[in-house]
Amino acid sequence: MGTRLPSDPRCRLVAGDFFAMAQGEGFDPERPARQFDAILADIDHAPDHLLDARSDRFYQVEGLRSLKRHLKPGGIFGLWSNEVTDQRFLDRLGAAFPQAWAEPVTFDNPLTGRPFTQTVYLARTEVA
């Protein structure tokens, strides 16, 4: 990450198990249940292509609803996926959040010499 972000006085890095924090008291051990404007994640390859099968619960409706508790009204959850949009996951995201959508990102892959599409899933909590 370099030094720019960590040297900003507004930044504090917290090491922990993302999935346990999302399901539990949140992402700030000094202030349990603290809410954030945004939670951005880039963890697994895709919601249904996991690095560790134990994280599957997070990508289900109840797991996403649990994460939503840690967002302020109008807060955004963003999730990067290495795959094209998966409608099944988008449906689960929409069942957990009042607004959910996918933004496909296509770029020229220099390793294959062909276009490659990934997805950023976004969801917004209810606005107060």
Side-chain angles (χ1 to χ4, degrees):
M1 287 190 334
T3 61
R4 186 172 183 180
L5 184 61
S7 65
D8 187 310
R10 299 169 295 173
C11 179
R12 182 168 55 93
L13 300 177
V14 176
D17 179 331
F18 175 85
F19 300 110
M21 295 167 106
Q23 302 306 306
E25 293 300 313
F27 299 100
D28 187 344
E30 293 178 12
R31 291 180 47 202
R34 177 181 175 195
Q35 291 185 312
F36 296 88
D37 294 309
I39 297 173
L40 309 174
D42 175 1
I43 298 172
D44 289 306
H45 296 299
D48 291 322
H49 185 186
L50 310 177
L51 295 173
D52 186 329
R54 292 176 294 176
S55 62
D56 180 66
R57 182 171 178 250
F58 170 77
Y59 299 101
Q60 304 308 314
V61 174
E62 288 307 314
L64 295 165
R65 284 183 179 146
S66 190
L67 171 87
K68 186 172 78 166
R69 298 177 297 124
H70 305 298
L71 288 165
K72 292 178 180 177
I76 294 283
F77 170 55
L79 176 70
W80 170 87
S81 171
N82 191 52
E83 304 290 334
V84 296
T85 302
D86 178 344
Q87 188 61 49
R88 293 169 302 160
F89 176 69
L90 190 55
D91 291 344
R92 294 192 307 262
L93 192 60
F97 287 82
Q99 292 180 316
W101 67 101
E103 294 288 342
V105 178
T106 302
F107 60 94
D108 290 324
N109 184 329
L111 299 176
T112 64
R114 297 183 311 220
F116 187 71
T117 300
Q118 298 175 329
T119 303
V120 176
Y121 294 97
L122 298 160
R124 184 184 313 272
T125 62
E126 295 85 356
V127 178

